[in-house]
Amino acid sequence: MNDLVRQHTELGESDLEWLHLLVSEWQLLSDLSFADLVLWLPTSDGARYVSVAQMRPNTGPTSYQDDMVGHLVPRGRRPLLDVALDEGRIVREGDPEWREEVPVRVESIPVRREGRVLGVIARNTNLLTVRTPSRLELTYLQSAADLAQMIAGGAFPFPGQQVGMDRAPRVGDGFIRLDAEGVVQYASPNALSAYHRLGLAADLVGLPLGPTTAELAPTRGPVDESLVKLASGYAPREAEIEGKDCVVQLRAIPLKPKGERIGSLILLRDVTELRRRERELMTKDATIREIHHRVKNNLQTVAALLRLQSRRIGATGDSRARAALDEAVRRVGSIAIVHETLSQNLDERVEFDEIADRVIAMVGELSPDGRVVGRRTGRFGILDAETATPLSMVLTEVLQNALEHAFPAGERGSIEVGARRPDSPKDPDRLLVTVQDNGRGLPEDFDPRSDGNLGLQIVRTLVEGELGGRFDMLAAEGGGTRVVLDLPLEQQKR
């Protein structure tokens, strides 16, 4: 809609925001009218209309099989649009139109904002299935007429009250019509069922909905006045009522077709099952985060025990054993970093850039006096835990290997960790990681497939086995060593 409005009309951003607010609410008008809605705006030159939005009813058959958005029609072809736009009134005159052997009643509703008519809503009702209307249908149509008058007068939608179409109650979920005093004139079967689940034993018709709702709400102490006002329909508000075995979502819509409130619409939906599932998911998420937190604590305890053992071995002078334990401490620490990050998230996915920076800093502490500096370029992005955990260990091993072998004692240098995701349609789901130093380079006849210490064996196993990627180690241009990791990310989608 934004593109069509900016391309074909002279409406400003505030007018466009009003139209968005209208479109977020007009499913209600469509359902109450049993009709399709098409929003037409006059073009900049005033010679044509452009359709910028369309809505089909959930309560009846559509009168448009095709998508109308983007259509242009010259002024004069649809006289009802011209009259509604020029005179600023709802137009219902005229005979039904025939579309593919289907009679369609067309009405035009001007869309007014701050005294200006921005466009026209064409309300198209399929008359093929018209029959003697029931009381529910008559109440729907009367409510739709009141809403249409409010749109024509600029009183609907309500500023600042935009609701999500996916979460707000709809007409079919439950519908109550109140008079000006807040007394129920009509309640749909779904609405009555929801109130029965809240504990109401009688019929709703004739009862003041505000006090009745407040009495059903399980509160202690004085009556909740805000709930009374909401359920009485005095202002456009939303709330949830949680009974003993039921949760009901309410939405109040005051009706002011001529400026004074003549009544209200109350839309309601039984969201008991939805809230139960949300609580289960919250409990599951909290449990998963707690598990990650405890795993992190246990790993830190293991690292502390290994560190303590390393100090004791250092006292006896066995440097090789102490170095092996120190490496184990760093391996355990890299896994703990991932679990710490997961314990703070709502899902099993982590922003790996933060983890990579912490791993680089942790390994960089091995360089005395900061002789070797590590840094990251590019972005790893968000990774699943199944990828993040082995990748953090791989980075730890590769960085540690570079510190130990690339720079002799006392020599200064740098290590750069690069990450990128190729922006290629042929291969979009890969992560390329490089670790490059400017040290003394690889020994002659070095074979990364078979040579190397325990750390490189761990790298090969994790990259090829756990991550299903490729690992290579080669001489870098200008000196030093370059480690390349090519990792597929398809498993994240699975």
Side-chain angles (χ1 to χ4, degrees):
M1 185 169 73
N2 288 355
D3 294 339
L4 289 171
V5 170
R6 290 166 181 156
Q7 179 182 354
H8 295 284
T9 76
E10 295 180 347
L11 297 181
E13 292 300 318
S14 59
D15 293 330
L16 180 57
E17 185 62 30
W18 180 264
L19 295 179
H20 275 293
L21 190 61
L22 172 65
V23 168
S24 73
E25 296 274 25
W26 70 343
Q27 179 73 64
L28 173 62
L29 177 62
S30 178
D31 290 345
L32 290 173
S33 303
F34 308 96
D36 291 71
L37 305 179
V38 180
L39 177 58
W40 296 93
L41 302 180
T43 57
S44 301
D45 58 8
R48 296 178 298 174
Y49 296 97
V50 57
S51 58
V52 299
Q54 178 180 3
M55 178 58 66
R56 292 184 172 90
N58 293 316
T59 53
T62 183
S63 56
Y64 280 115
Q65 297 298 328
D66 299 327
D67 186 6
M68 294 296 296
V69 175
H71 283 214
L72 291 163
V73 297
R75 183 179 173 89
R77 178 174 296 178
R78 301 193 176 186
L80 297 187
L81 296 181
D82 299 337
V83 176
L85 183 68
D86 297 339
E87 301 182 9
R89 65 179 179 88
I90 298 176
V91 183
R92 297 188 175 92
E93 300 88 354
D95 298 326
E97 297 180 3
W98 287 85
R99 300 174 188 164
E100 299 180 358
E101 300 183 355
V102 175
V104 176
R105 182 175 64 242
V106 181
E107 305 166 85
S108 295
I109 305 168
V111 177
R112 192 183 303 273
R113 175 179 180 265
E114 296 180 352
R116 297 181 298 116
V117 177
L118 305 182
V120 179
I121 294 176
R123 181 164 54 177
N124 303 266
T125 306
N126 187 325
L127 300 178
L128 195 61
T129 58
V130 169
R131 52 186 174 81
T132 303
S134 64
R135 187 180 178 190
L136 179 145
E137 292 168 333
L138 289 173
T139 307
Y140 276 17
L141 293 172
Q142 180 58 52
S143 302
D146 294 334
L147 280 178
Q149 287 286 351
M150 292 173 65
I151 293 173
F156 187 84
F158 305 109
Q161 292 291 322
Q162 184 168 359
V163 297
M165 295 174 62
D166 57 338
R167 65 178 179 84
R170 297 189 177 187
V171 171
D173 297 326
F175 172 86
I176 296 175
R177 172 84 186 222
L178 307 179
D179 64 13
E181 303 300 323
V183 177
V184 178
Q185 292 181 315
Y186 177 80
S188 70
N190 284 345
L192 187 59
S193 296
Y195 267 83
H196 283 169
R197 284 190 285 273
L198 283 173
L200 180 68
D203 191 1
L204 270 174
V205 176
L207 296 179
L209 190 65
T212 301
T213 303
E215 291 175 3
L216 294 174
T219 58
R220 297 180 180 179
V223 174
D224 188 346
E225 293 295 333
S226 63
L227 183 58
V228 173
K229 290 182 178 180
L230 183 147
S232 298
Y234 290 118
R237 296 179 184 173
E238 295 183 48
E240 283 191 5
I241 306 170
E242 185 167 357
K244 182 179 179 181
D245 300 311
C246 180
V247 182
V248 175
Q249 182 182 13
L250 291 181
R251 184 187 178 203
I253 302 171
L255 295 176
K256 303 177 180 179
K258 297 182 179 180
E260 296 293 330
R261 191 174 69 86
I262 63 169
S264 305
L265 302 181
I266 304 295
L267 304 181
L268 63 153
R269 178 172 60 164
D270 186 342
V271 293
T272 307
E273 185 63 20
L274 179 62
R275 295 296 176 260
R276 183 186 67 80
R277 292 181 181 180
E278 287 179 352
R279 292 190 186 101
E280 289 180 353
L281 289 175
M282 291 176 62
T283 302
K284 178 182 177 181
D285 290 340
T287 301
I288 291 173
R289 289 198 297 272
E290 179 62 22
I291 290 172
H292 285 302
H293 181 70
R294 295 190 181 189
V295 170
K296 182 262 298 183
N297 288 343
N298 291 339
L299 290 171
Q300 289 179 338
T301 300
V302 171
L305 293 173
L306 292 173
R307 197 176 294 112
L308 178 61
Q309 188 65 40
S310 173
R311 293 196 189 102
R312 290 192 176 185
I313 291 177
T316 65
D318 192 343
S319 59
R320 294 180 61 186
R322 180 174 184 178
L325 286 175
D326 289 341
E327 289 182 2
V329 168
R330 286 186 288 275
R331 289 165 185 152
V332 173
S334 66
I335 302 175
I337 291 174
V338 177
H339 284 281
E340 181 180 3
T341 306
L342 288 169
S343 68
Q344 301 169 0
N345 292 347
L346 295 177
D347 56 17
E348 291 290 288
R349 294 164 65 82
V350 296
E351 178 61 63
F352 196 80
D353 294 331
E354 178 184 352
I355 294 175
D357 291 341
R358 293 180 63 180
V359 169
I360 293 171
M362 178 181 68
V363 177
E365 293 173 358
L366 297 175
S367 175
D369 302 326
R371 290 190 180 95
V372 179
V373 179
R375 68 189 185 96
R376 172 179 60 86
T377 60
R379 294 191 68 251
F380 287 86
I382 297 176
L383 300 177
D384 285 346
E386 294 180 357
T387 301
T389 301
L391 183 55
S392 66
M393 286 194 64
V394 168
L395 277 182
T396 302
E397 298 297 337
V398 172
L399 289 168
Q400 185 171 288
N401 186 73
L403 283 172
E404 291 179 359
H405 302 287
F407 305 100
E411 185 175 328
R412 295 184 176 275
S414 64
I415 304 176
E416 180 179 292
V417 178
R420 68 183 181 90
R421 298 193 182 194
D423 188 14
S424 170
K426 296 181 180 180
D427 198 12
D429 300 318
R430 302 195 73 80
L431 174 63
L432 298 180
V433 182
T434 59
V435 181
Q436 182 167 331
D437 63 67
N438 58 355
R440 60 184 178 182
L442 294 172
E444 293 184 7
D445 301 327
F446 179 81
D447 184 2
R449 305 295 304 173
S450 57
D451 296 343
N453 53 19
L454 175 62
L456 289 182
Q457 294 177 20
I458 292 175
V459 170
R460 284 193 293 268
T461 301
L462 291 176
V463 171
E464 297 173 359
E466 290 286 327
L467 299 173
R470 291 178 294 174
F471 161 75
D472 199 5
M473 197 172 186
L474 59 154
E477 295 182 4
T481 304
R482 179 181 179 88
V483 176
V484 179
L485 308 175
D486 186 356
L487 310 176
L489 299 180
E490 292 91 343
Q491 60 183 355
Q492 296 197 87
K493 293 184 179 181
R494 293 197 299 268

